[in-house]
Amino acid sequence: MRTVGESGPGRGQSRRPWFAGVLLLLGLVVMGCARRDPASTGKAGPDASPKEITVLNVSYDPTRELYQEVNRIFSKYWKSKTGEVVKINQSHGGSSKQARAVIDGLAADVVTLAMAADVDAISEQAELLPRDWQKRLPHNSAPFTSTMVFVVRKGNPKNIKDWDDVVKPGVSVIPGNPKTSGGARWTYLAAYGYALEKYKSDAHAKDFIKKLYKNAPVLDSGARGTTTTFADRGIGDVLLNWENDAILLTQQLGDKVVLVYPSVSILAEPTVALLDKNLARHGTAAVAQAYLDFLYTEPGQEIAASHFYRPSLEPVVKKHASRFPEIRVFTVDSVFGGWRQAQKTHFADGGWFDQIYGAGK
């Protein structure tokens, strides 16, 4: 178990080389057509108003501050290289709720969601992008990663050090709702994977999860909602949440809370994707591609690290190694057979979470 004050090497995970020349791509890409602001004149010459392109990024709960900074830096870069003004609008909420909004017609150009399962749902139900969308960007379309950790009250009065401690009677846990929140699904899988490794059977792991959610007085729909419940409403002995949001909370509340790293967690991989059919309708394919490519560049990776997401570009990984304590992680592929299988087994209507939570309450 590690606390936030400890330092250590980065995850040590091997990295595939990211594609060379992405900054050059950003500089040389030529806009074909673009979604225009009605006030734009489209005329050439010194007195013509610059063309404004609007892009909608539909994202999940804890990324508001991250993409505010990404959008500001990318917009300046794009204008300096192309002369075009790009306005990137943001939408945030529980990851699965956001995916459902896109499926129901929210006209996103790109999605930057908490997990691949939500983008899979958009591909399968709305057919806005191909089924093999994860192959189009490095690291399975996850430019940075995170993991799931604990936040406890000052002094850690319940002595919470690992997953076994959050299922003990009398411990109040704030984990989020896996039916709507991507972070809550990662949390569920982290706890389930720990129990499966320790007890060697799905029956024991299900019982472990049942105990965890029996200890949950409320299930918020998104990760930021869980933070509000724990920090502002004062509910719960332990918050289970994204590492980046947990670190941010410790900075905001100081010694009122303590960040605890369990013995093992899951490699959480937020994914990004282009929605091809919407891009074709909006004429925003070139700028949207450059926007997602930017996340893999050194400036984009530095922004991610500054907001406590674990970068994937090796020089940035090494530079910020002390910021991210070492923690043993497993992947959704290695334990659950990938997100499509995990979604079907655990989170689909009537799946194991519905069975366990219903039985637990």
Side-chain angles (χ1 to χ4, degrees):
M1 182 271 290
R2 289 182 176 269
T3 62
V4 70
E6 294 179 277
S7 64
R11 288 184 294 120
Q13 184 183 355
S14 62
R15 305 284 181 180
R16 289 185 294 154
W18 62 293
F19 48 90
V22 66
L23 287 174
L24 182 61
L25 171 65
L26 290 173
L28 298 178
V29 66
V30 178
M31 291 296 298
C33 55
R35 200 188 319 182
R36 292 171 180 258
D37 185 279
S40 175
T41 65
K43 297 178 182 180
D47 297 327
S49 299
K51 181 171 56 181
E52 181 173 282
I53 309 154
T54 61
V55 172
L56 176 58
N57 174 9
V58 172
S59 194
Y60 64 108
D61 248 354
T63 60
R64 290 172 174 84
E65 297 84 4
L66 167 69
Y67 283 111
Q68 285 171 2
E69 186 170 359
V70 167
N71 296 348
R72 179 175 59 83
I73 300 300
F74 175 78
S75 296
K76 288 182 178 180
Y77 184 85
W78 184 260
K79 185 175 182 180
S80 72
K81 295 299 181 182
T82 68
E84 305 291 343
V85 175
V86 59
K87 179 181 180 182
I88 303 165
N89 295 320
Q90 300 177 218
S91 173
H92 297 273
S95 185
S96 295
K97 289 180 68 176
Q98 292 290 83
R100 171 48 56 186
V102 172
I103 292 167
D104 290 343
L106 181 60
D109 296 280
V110 300
V111 288
T112 56
L113 296 175
M115 57 194 174
D118 287 331
V119 187
D120 286 339
I122 295 169
S123 172
E124 293 162 7
Q125 298 179 42
E127 299 182 343
L128 294 176
L129 72 168
R131 187 179 176 87
D132 64 350
W133 60 271
Q134 278 189 283
K135 297 179 180 179
R136 301 199 292 187
L137 288 168
H139 309 303
N140 290 322
S141 292
F144 39 77
T145 63
S146 189
T147 192
M148 313 314 293
V149 300
F150 307 159
V151 181
V152 299
R153 306 290 177 187
K154 181 178 181 178
N156 196 2
K158 294 295 179 77
N159 196 30
I160 294 167
K161 298 179 180 179
D162 211 344
W163 292 102
D164 285 322
D165 299 315
V166 304
V167 302
K168 291 178 179 177
V171 175
S172 178
V173 180
I174 308 298
N177 187 347
K179 300 293 285 188
T180 56
S181 167
R185 291 192 196 187
W186 286 115
T187 292
Y188 170 107
L189 294 179
Y192 195 101
Y194 168 85
L196 192 61
E197 180 183 271
K198 181 171 182 176
Y199 299 109
K200 311 301 181 186
S201 77
D202 282 311
H204 285 93
K206 286 182 180 181
D207 185 62
F208 189 90
I209 292 294
K210 179 179 177 180
K211 291 176 181 177
L212 189 156
Y213 287 96
K214 189 174 183 179
N215 282 352
V218 61
L219 295 183
D220 291 289
S221 64
R224 282 289 166 89
T226 64
T227 300
T228 298
T229 293
F230 181 80
D232 296 343
R233 298 172 62 194
I235 298 174
D237 300 307
V238 54
L239 170 67
L240 310 182
N241 211 346
W242 295 93
E243 178 185 40
N244 55 284
D245 248 23
I247 295 174
L248 184 62
L249 185 60
T250 63
Q251 290 189 341
Q252 292 172 341
L253 298 184
D255 64 359
K256 293 181 180 179
V257 294
V258 179
L259 173 56
V260 176
Y261 283 83
S263 62
V264 64
S265 192
I266 195 165
L267 180 67
E269 300 171 291
T271 49
V272 303
L274 302 163
L275 301 187
D276 299 41
K277 289 188 177 180
N278 287 347
L279 295 176
R281 284 193 287 266
H282 302 156
T284 51
V287 66
Q289 178 71 63
Y291 178 64
L292 294 190
D293 288 344
F294 177 77
L295 299 176
Y296 291 88
T297 67
E298 189 163 346
Q301 293 279 291
E302 285 285 351
I303 294 171
S306 74
H307 289 273
F308 308 111
Y309 293 88
R310 298 189 177 221
S312 59
L313 190 61
E314 199 59 37
V316 185
V317 172
K318 292 179 179 178
K319 180 179 177 180
H320 296 282
S322 63
R323 176 171 287 185
F324 302 104
E326 184 178 12
I327 181 172
R328 186 167 65 92
V329 294
F330 56 83
T331 68
V332 68
D333 291 338
S334 65
V335 176
F336 300 97
W339 262 112
R340 282 191 170 91
Q341 186 59 49
Q343 173 66 25
K344 179 180 178 181
T345 301
H346 294 272
F347 306 117
D349 290 344
W352 288 4
F353 173 74
D354 285 349
Q355 298 169 28
I356 292 166
Y357 186 66
K361 304 311 269 193

